[in-house]
Amino acid sequence: MELYDVMFKEKFASMPYIKTGCGGSVSLTISVVKFSDFDDMIKSANLSLRYACKDYNATINGVNTQNAINANRFFHLKHAILDYSACYDYCLLIVYFAFNFCGEITSHKEYQTALKECRYKNTNNQNHNFAIYEALTSLSKKDKHALELLNKLVPLFKERDKLAKWANAIKHRGNIYHEGLTPILPDIAKTTSKFYYDKDGNIKFTEGEVTHISDIIAPQIISNDSAITELIRHNKTLCEFANWLYDFIGFKDIEKTKDFITIFKDIRPFVYATHNNEK
C-alpha cells in the first residue's frame, strides 16, 4: 500500500526567516505551526491505516478469535479516520491564519477565540462571525488569487463529507460498527396501534404499524476493505492539497530566494495584502 507523506517540518527548519518569526506576523507564524501540525497528523493517520491493514493473529486463552482480530483492526481504523478528518481542519486553519482572516492576534485569549471562530462555511442554522467560504467568495470577485484558492477549497471539502460523518459518529458514539463487530440486535416488535372501546364496551385495537426495534437501532456498518480504500483516497487528496497550499502561499519560492517580502508582494499579492491590511 502506497501512502503519500509531507515534509513541512524539515523544510521550515531550513528557512531562517521562518525561525525568526515571519517578520513579526503572528498569524503567518501560526500558519507555519499549523503546517507542522498537519505534518504530524498525516503521519499519525498513515501509521494507523497501515496497522489497520496488518494481518493479526489475535488469541484469547490460546484460541484464535476472529472477533479479537476485527477489534484490533477497528481500533486502528478509528484512529486513522479521526486523524485524516483532523487533517482537513488543519488545512482550513492554515488558510485562516496564512491569509490573516483571523484579524490581529495579540493575546492567548484572542488566539483561542480565533481557533473557535474558524470554520469553512455557514449553514442555514448557523450565522457565525466568520466563515472562510463566504469571505473568499467575496474576495474572489476582485482577486484572481482568492478565486484560485476558493476553487481548490470547494472540491476539497466536498471530498470530506463521508469521512466527516464517520469521524463524528466515532467521536460521539453515534452507532457505527466494524462489519465483524456488529452488536446483538433483539428482534422485538413494537406497534403503534391503540386500544379503544366500541359502543358495546368491548376493547378494540386500531391497525397501527408494526416496527421492529432492530430496525430502529440498526447501526451503520463499515467494512474494513471499503474504509481502507476510502482513507487511501483521502491521504492522496490531503497531501496534494497541502503541498499545493504550501507553494501557493509562497513558501516554496522562499526556499530558493530567502526573500519573504518580495515573494509575497510580487508573486502572491493577495497574501501580501492580507498581511498589510490593504484593501
Side-chain angles (χ1 to χ4, degrees):
M1 176 179 59
E2 181 182 356
L3 293 176
Y4 290 79
D5 200 355
V6 295
M7 303 293 287
F8 298 132
K9 295 176 81 170
E10 289 84 349
K11 291 178 180 178
F12 286 133
S14 66
M15 299 183 195
Y17 186 88
I18 298 300
K19 290 191 285 187
T20 56
C22 298
S25 171
V26 175
S27 60
L28 194 59
T29 301
I30 294 171
S31 76
V32 171
V33 173
K34 297 308 171 188
F35 264 115
S36 297
D37 290 341
F38 178 95
D39 191 315
D40 290 335
M41 190 61 70
I42 201 75
K43 286 176 171 59
S44 174
N46 289 351
L47 181 62
S48 293
L49 182 54
R50 288 190 175 98
Y51 275 118
C53 296
K54 284 183 65 176
D55 289 326
Y56 290 98
N57 183 25
T59 60
I60 297 178
N61 295 328
V63 179
N64 184 290
T65 68
Q66 188 60 46
N67 192 66
I69 293 172
N70 290 333
N72 218 338
R73 284 178 176 156
F74 194 41
F75 172 83
H76 295 294
L77 198 60
K78 286 188 292 185
H79 281 280
I81 290 170
L82 292 173
D83 286 353
Y84 282 124
S85 181
C87 284
Y88 282 93
D89 293 329
Y90 283 122
C91 288
L92 197 63
L93 285 168
I94 291 167
V95 171
Y96 182 57
F97 288 108
F99 302 114
N100 205 26
F101 288 129
C102 55
E104 186 178 8
I105 296 176
T106 60
S107 68
H108 182 71
K109 183 178 180 181
E110 288 177 350
Y111 173 54
Q112 292 299 317
T113 299
L115 288 173
K116 293 177 183 177
E117 290 185 350
C118 176
R119 66 203 69 251
Y120 170 59
K121 192 175 185 180
N122 284 329
T123 59
N124 292 334
N125 61 348
Q126 292 178 320
N127 188 21
H128 298 285
N129 293 332
F130 183 84
I132 287 175
Y133 175 82
E134 281 79 3
L136 277 176
T137 298
S138 177
L139 282 169
S140 66
K141 296 175 182 178
K142 55 184 179 181
D143 192 289
K144 65 179 182 180
H145 297 283
L147 179 60
E148 184 180 359
L149 179 56
L150 180 65
N151 288 339
K152 287 284 188 176
L153 277 177
V154 170
L156 179 77
F157 278 85
K158 283 184 179 178
E159 286 278 313
R160 186 192 189 180
D161 284 347
K162 184 175 183 179
L163 183 66
K165 290 176 182 176
W166 284 355
N168 285 332
I170 291 169
K171 286 187 290 186
H172 304 295
R173 293 169 175 78
N175 203 28
I176 185 169
Y177 290 85
H178 186 275
E179 61 181 342
L181 298 170
T182 53
I184 298 173
L185 297 176
D187 191 19
I188 302 174
K190 180 180 179 181
T191 179
T192 59
S193 66
K194 299 179 180 179
F195 74 88
Y196 65 94
Y197 294 97
D198 66 10
K199 61 181 180 179
D200 297 322
N202 298 315
I203 295 179
K204 300 289 185 180
F205 291 89
T206 60
E207 286 189 17
E209 295 181 359
V210 175
T211 302
H212 292 273
I213 293 180
S214 57
D215 293 332
I216 296 174
I217 63 175
Q220 178 185 359
I221 305 296
I222 59 174
S223 73
N224 208 64
D225 290 344
S226 64
I228 288 171
T229 300
E230 180 76 7
L231 293 178
I232 290 173
R233 185 173 63 82
H234 285 289
N235 161 265
K236 183 174 185 290
T237 297
L238 284 161
C239 288
E240 287 181 346
F241 176 80
N243 281 318
W244 173 86
L245 187 58
Y246 176 91
D247 295 349
F248 177 76
I249 293 172
F251 288 124
K252 184 176 181 179
D253 297 303
I254 298 169
E255 290 177 21
K256 303 173 184 176
T257 67
K258 314 298 181 185
D259 186 351
F260 190 77
I261 295 301
T262 299
I263 292 297
F264 265 32
K265 188 172 183 179
D266 297 338
I267 300 178
R268 294 286 178 263
F270 167 53
V271 184
Y272 178 79
T274 61
H275 284 278
N276 287 273
N277 298 316
E278 296 180 5
K279 303 298 181 183

